């Protein structure tokens, strides 16, 4: 005969309540459709320099040097470059504090960020506008402005676009 204590232990074994290092990452670190297998060579040929902005994206195909799930999708700046990894510095909010965190992540889990593309494009355009202003004397507004409201439109009623009245059909039960 089995004791009730033995049954309780078996029931506990079935109920999973684990909080391991990679818990809850079934979909987070999974590879996309038709994106499985070894990493392409182009991933390893990217040059990272100190000060570059990078996005941390965990690659499930490479287990070495993988960041903790908290850092997945975070953007930080490179503070160190080694043979196979880069050191990334970012802010982490803990309670009401903001802590500067430094982690080393392998190249496979990092990609160059596009967060500054628009800013750099605007800097170049502003420089060109500034030089043009010095030449011609015509000033141009360099600030970003919110989108203006659309201009008004007048709808004229003709035979082709005459208004039609739409009313719902009468409810007829199917039974």
């Amino acid at each position: 005969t089995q004791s009730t204590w033995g049954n309780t232990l078996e029931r506990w074994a079935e109920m999973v309540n684990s909080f391991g290092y990679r818990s809850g990452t079934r979909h987070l670190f999974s590879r996309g459709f038709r994106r499985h297998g070894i990493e392409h060579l182009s991933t390893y040929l990217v040059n990272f320099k100190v000060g570059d902005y990078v996005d941390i994206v965990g690659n499930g195909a490479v287990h070495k040097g993988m960041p903790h799930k908290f850092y997945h999708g975070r953007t930080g700046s490179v503070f160190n470059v080694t043979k196979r990894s880069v050191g990334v510095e970012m802010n982490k909010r803990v309670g009401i504090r903001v802590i500067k965190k430094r982690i080393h992540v392998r190249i496979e889990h990092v990609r160059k960020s596009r967060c500054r593309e628009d800013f750099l494009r605007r800097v170049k355009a502003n420089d060109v506008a500034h030089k043009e202003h010095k030449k011609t004397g015509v000033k141009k507004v360099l600030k970003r402005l919110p989108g203006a409201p659309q201009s008004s439109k007048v709808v004229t009623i003709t035979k082709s676009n005459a208004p039609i009245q739409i009313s719902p059909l009468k409810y007829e039960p199917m039974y």
Side-chain angles (χ1 to χ4, degrees):
T1 61
Q2 252 189 338
S3 66
T4 55
W5 181 250
N7 291 341
T8 310
L9 286 176
E10 286 172 22
R11 252 185 269 124
W12 281 348
E14 290 169 8
M15 294 167 57
V16 178
N17 191 21
S18 55
F19 298 98
Y21 195 75
R22 286 185 63 171
S23 66
T25 61
R26 178 180 183 174
H27 302 293
L28 190 72
F29 291 142
S30 67
R31 305 285 278 143
F33 178 63
R34 293 172 68 181
R35 295 283 178 269
H36 298 274
I38 59 171
E39 196 58 40
H40 297 289
L41 189 61
S42 58
T43 307
Y44 300 98
L45 297 176
V46 178
N47 288 327
F48 293 100
K49 296 174 185 169
V50 174
D52 285 352
Y53 283 97
V54 292
D55 296 329
I56 298 173
V57 182
N59 184 349
V62 182
H63 297 169
K64 267 191 169 183
M66 185 183 277
H68 187 263
K69 62 189 173 186
F70 170 83
Y71 300 104
H72 184 82
R74 303 275 167 169
T75 302
S77 61
V78 175
F79 73 90
N80 187 21
V81 180
T82 62
K83 194 165 30 170
R84 292 181 192 87
S85 67
V86 290
V88 184
E89 185 177 56
M90 76 212 70
N91 292 330
K92 179 178 181 179
R93 189 168 177 205
V94 182
I96 59 168
R97 298 171 298 154
V98 176
I99 303 172
K100 206 170 270 287
K101 299 288 280 189
R102 288 180 152 201
I103 61 170
H104 278 83
V105 186
R106 270 178 89 105
I107 298 285
E108 296 92 332
H109 310 290
V110 164
R111 63 179 173 219
K112 286 208 172 186
S113 182
R114 301 180 61 192
C115 64
R116 282 176 59 86
E117 277 183 4
D118 185 50
F119 169 72
L120 295 173
R121 196 179 310 115
R122 282 192 302 111
V123 167
K124 285 180 185 174
N126 289 356
D127 287 344
V128 170
H130 185 69
K131 286 176 184 172
E132 202 171 295
H133 166 65
K134 283 205 166 188
K135 277 185 193 174
T136 60
V138 178
K139 202 162 193 177
K140 184 182 171 188
V141 178
L142 302 179
K143 289 184 178 180
R144 290 178 290 172
L145 300 170
Q150 292 182 350
S151 59
S152 62
K153 296 181 179 107
V154 177
V155 179
T156 55
I157 298 173
T158 60
K159 285 185 179 178
S160 61
N161 70 344
I164 52 172
Q165 185 176 357
I166 300 173
S167 57
L169 295 171
K170 185 185 173 191
Y171 175 70
E172 295 178 12
M174 301 284 287
Y175 52 87

